[in-house]
């Protein structure tokens, strides 16, 4: 194992004729992190994953996975992948599909039985191991795909919308699996448009829209700016304007809304209002959710 | 090694398909039916056939049965080859496989090898059984039975390689239809060439030569016919002069070694084009 990032992209771009699917993606994903790649449908998320796996060719830029240039066979050696369009040989049993991927992933034959049993147990398909995949529901096929992605203890796992076909229990299970993977030191690249999913499991997030990353960072960095609503009277216009030092102030009659302010500064804000002669009746700090942030970013971009 | 993994996967997939079993069942039925039919050819009017007459009739009927095998094999090869790559890409099964450390070339060669193996698994036992049954019933063995099997298998390999190359870019149905049309055009082109030979028309002969070079399915079929023609029929045809060449179900000579070398090169080239085309495409 080398010490570099798990995934690094440098101006990675993809065009399909006149359509720009990915416009110069630059990002670094440290090893051992759960990275959420978030964006609306058609933002370029799946394109990015396909480029990383050499399934599509970049129109520009470059990228490395585990230090190896994308497109080369070596870059896929220690990588597990669950495609968005997951489909496995319907005429095979779940065990046979996993055995096929053990073979393709060049896993030592002696370890197959353990690898397959472990994968089936992790995704909850042990009791259907010998059933034909063609008889599986979509959710079960997605579970199988997740099991396939986990074979051989990969260093990087790319999950493209891994819960799209799952019920709430299945989604919960997948979140638990992702946390377990992180605990085992794996890097998880989670492609999703499900904000709550990303918010619950990801360490870092990139929000992509129209093929461009419009925000990137840890969840704290992205959601650090909160909104505070203060019900106040007897505050002069000048005093209200001075509150701009805390954040963007919106005057809504008796309520003042200050956006983009760290919660730690809340006592200072209240103290300044009182010093200026204001009478405070209520203070309502509101933590900005990823959804709020996501929508505001997309709104700003449009 | 990964080539063999994909080849094995392809063979297993085809063997587990109902289509293969249906094809095998129907072929066995046809073999049983034709074998019974061969046993019925014993008289001319009310008098019994001479041995020479029987061989003449049986050998020519066997050529027609051979054409059925050639036709069935070409169709099977096209239907197996045409969706082999495009089907996997369209369904999404290719995504998980090609994300593994496997090259596109290994994937394509593995698919080709798998379909070829399946075709051999079908063609060799069924044609051998057909020839064996004819031998048991009318005690007739064509002069070159091994070559017959080899030539119609080679014809199927050419059809398959064409269908596979089309499958790198076209949907299964589209590639299959194109491959079948080209197979038919090659067959007719071969007949035009034979008619040209009979009529000593050089333009028609050139058409035949060009089609046999561009798509050597008919060239291989001609080899299969030659393998089934008994010496007596060949001698009689030679005595009849160039007019005998006009019969699309007759061939007096085997394909030249140089032509067979071209067919091998054609298959290698077709596979090379398929690999190049599939390597360039996005999944």
């Amino acid at each position: 194992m080398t010490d570099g990032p798990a995934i690094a992209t440098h101006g990675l771009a993809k065009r399909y004729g006149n359509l720009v699917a990915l416009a110069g993606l630059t990002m670094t994903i440290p090893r051992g992190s759960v990275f959420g790649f978030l964006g609306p449908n058609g933002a370029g998320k799946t394109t990015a994953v396909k480029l990383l796996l050499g399934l599509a060719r970049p129109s520009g830029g470059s990228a490395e996975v585990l230090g190896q240039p994308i497109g080369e066979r070596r870059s896929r050696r220690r990588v597990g992948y669950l495609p968005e369009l997951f489909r496995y040989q319907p005429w095979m049993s779940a065990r046979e599909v996993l055995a096929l991927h053990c073979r393709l992933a060049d896993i030592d034959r002696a370890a197959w039985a353990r690898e397959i049993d472990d994968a089936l147990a992790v995704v909850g398909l042990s009791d259907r191991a010998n059933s034909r995949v063609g008889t599986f529901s979509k959710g079960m096929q997605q579970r199988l795909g997740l099991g396939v992605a986990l074979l051989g203890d990969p260093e990087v796992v790319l999950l493209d919308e891994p819960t799209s076909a799952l019920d709430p229990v299945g989604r919960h299970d997948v979140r638990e699996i992702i946390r377990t993977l992180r605990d085992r030191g794996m890097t998880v690249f989670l492609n999703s448009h499900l904000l709550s999913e990303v918010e619950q499991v990801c360490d870092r997030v990139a929000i992509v829209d129209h093929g461009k990353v419009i925000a990137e960072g840890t969840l704290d960095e992205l959601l650090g700016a909160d909104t505070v609503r203060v019900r106040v009277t007897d505050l002069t216009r000048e005093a209200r304007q001075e509150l701009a030092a805390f954040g963007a102030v919106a005057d809504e009659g008796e309520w003042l809304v200050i956006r983009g302010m760290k919660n730690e500064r809340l006592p200072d804000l209240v103290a300044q209002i009182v010093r200026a002669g204001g009478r405070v009746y209520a203070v309502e700090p509101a933590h900005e959710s990823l959804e709020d942030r996501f929508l505001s970013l997309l709104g700003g971009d449009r | 090694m990964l080539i063999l993994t994909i080849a094995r996967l392809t063979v297993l997939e085809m063997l587990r398909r109902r289509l293969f079993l249906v094809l095998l069942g129907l072929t066995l039925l046809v073999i049983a039916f034709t074998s019974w039919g061969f046993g019925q050819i014993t008289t001319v009017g009310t008098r019994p056939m001479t041995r020479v007459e029987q061989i003449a009739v049986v050998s020519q009927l066997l050529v027609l049965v051979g054409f059925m095998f050639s036709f069935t094999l070409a169709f099977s090869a096209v239907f197996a080859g045409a969706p082999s790559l495009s089907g996997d890409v369209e369904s999404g099964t290719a995504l998980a496989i090609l994300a593994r450390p496997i090259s596109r070339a290994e994937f394509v060669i593995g698919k080709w090898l798998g379909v070829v193996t399946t075709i051999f698994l079908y063609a060799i036992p069924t044609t051998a059984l057909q020839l064996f049954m004819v031998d048991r019933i009318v005690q007739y063995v064509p002069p070159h039975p091994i070559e017959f099997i080899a030539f119609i298998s080679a014809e199927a390999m050419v059809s398959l390689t064409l269908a596979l190359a089309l499958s790198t870019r076209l949907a299964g149905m589209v590639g299959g239809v194109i491959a079948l049309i080209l197979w038919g055009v090659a067959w007719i082109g071969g007949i035009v060439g034979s008619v040209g030979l009979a009529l000593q028309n050089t333009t028609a002969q050139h058409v035949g030569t060009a089609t046999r070079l561009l798509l050597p399915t008919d060239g291989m079929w001609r080899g299969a016919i030659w393998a089934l023609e008994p010496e007596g029929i060949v001698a009689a045809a030679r005595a009849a002069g160039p007019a005998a060449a006009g019969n699309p179900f007759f061939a007096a000579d085997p394909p030249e070694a140089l032509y067979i070398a071209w067919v091998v090169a054609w298959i290698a080239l077709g596979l090379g084009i398929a690999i190049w085309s599939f390597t360039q495409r996005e999944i």
Side-chain angles (χ1 to χ4, degrees), chain A residues 153-170:
Chain A
D153 208 19
E155 288 178 43
V156 172
V157 182
L158 299 160
L159 306 176
D160 197 351
E161 306 283 3
T163 59
S164 59
L166 297 180
D167 57 23
V169 176

Side-chain angles (χ1 to χ4, degrees), chain A residues 14 16 50 53-58 73-74 76-77 79-81 83-93 96 100-106 148-151, chain B residues 1-2 4-6 8-14 16-17 87-104 106 276 279-283:
Chain A
K14 180 65 186 174
Y16 294 101
K50 286 187 173 182
L53 288 164
L55 296 169
R57 289 161 176 268
R73 179 195 296 233
R74 287 173 300 172
R76 304 195 292 270
R77 279 211 189 283
V79 176
Y81 170 47
E84 181 185 24
L85 179 60
F86 53 90
R87 189 170 156 84
Y88 299 87
Q89 290 70 14
W91 49 275
M92 281 183 152
S93 70
E96 286 173 325
L100 167 68
H101 281 269
C102 281
R103 210 183 278 271
L104 291 169
D106 200 22
V148 167
L150 302 183
L151 285 172
Chain B
M1 190 60 200
L2 287 177
L4 295 181
T5 300
I6 299 299
R8 183 174 170 275
L9 178 71
T10 308
V11 171
L12 286 176
E13 182 175 8
M14 298 187 81
R16 288 197 203 178
R17 271 192 195 163
D88 279 2
V89 172
E90 284 162 21
S91 71
T93 49
L95 284 171
I97 291 178
L98 292 172
R100 294 292 179 191
I102 179 174
S103 71
R104 301 277 180 99
E106 286 171 325
W276 174 81
T279 304
Q280 298 303 310
R281 80 164 289 174
E282 316 231 316
I283 306 298

Side-chain angles (χ1 to χ4, degrees), chain B residues 151-209:
Chain B
F151 279 125
I152 61 163
S153 298
E155 184 191 354
M157 280 169 72
V158 171
S159 303
L160 157 68
T161 308
L162 172 67
L164 189 87
L166 293 170
S167 176
T168 59
R169 294 293 167 137
L170 301 174
M173 186 65 85
V174 180
V177 167
I178 291 174
L180 279 183
I181 289 172
L182 291 177
W183 180 86
V185 168
W187 186 57
I188 291 168
I191 294 173
V192 169
S194 301
V195 170
L197 204 61
L199 301 177
Q200 296 175 348
N201 179 322
T202 49
T203 307
Q205 284 180 49
H206 287 153
V207 169
T209 307

Side-chain angles (χ1 to χ4, degrees), chain A residues 34 41 82 84 86 122-124 138-140 142-143 146 159-181 188 190-202 291:
Chain A
V34 177
N41 293 331
L82 169 64
E84 181 185 24
F86 53 90
V122 166
V123 299
K138 272 196 158 187
M140 288 166 72
Q142 196 161 34
R143 284 172 180 267
L146 189 58
L159 306 176
D160 197 351
E161 306 283 3
T163 59
S164 59
L166 297 180
D167 57 23
V169 176
R171 289 181 181 193
H172 173 266
D173 290 351
V174 169
R175 285 197 295 272
E176 288 305 308
I177 291 169
I178 291 172
R179 290 190 184 107
T180 309
L181 299 181
V188 180
L190 177 64
N191 231 358
S192 182
H193 65 274
L194 296 176
L195 303 159
S196 59
E197 189 172 275
V198 170
E199 197 165 16
Q200 286 181 62
V201 294
C202 293
E291 183 171 325

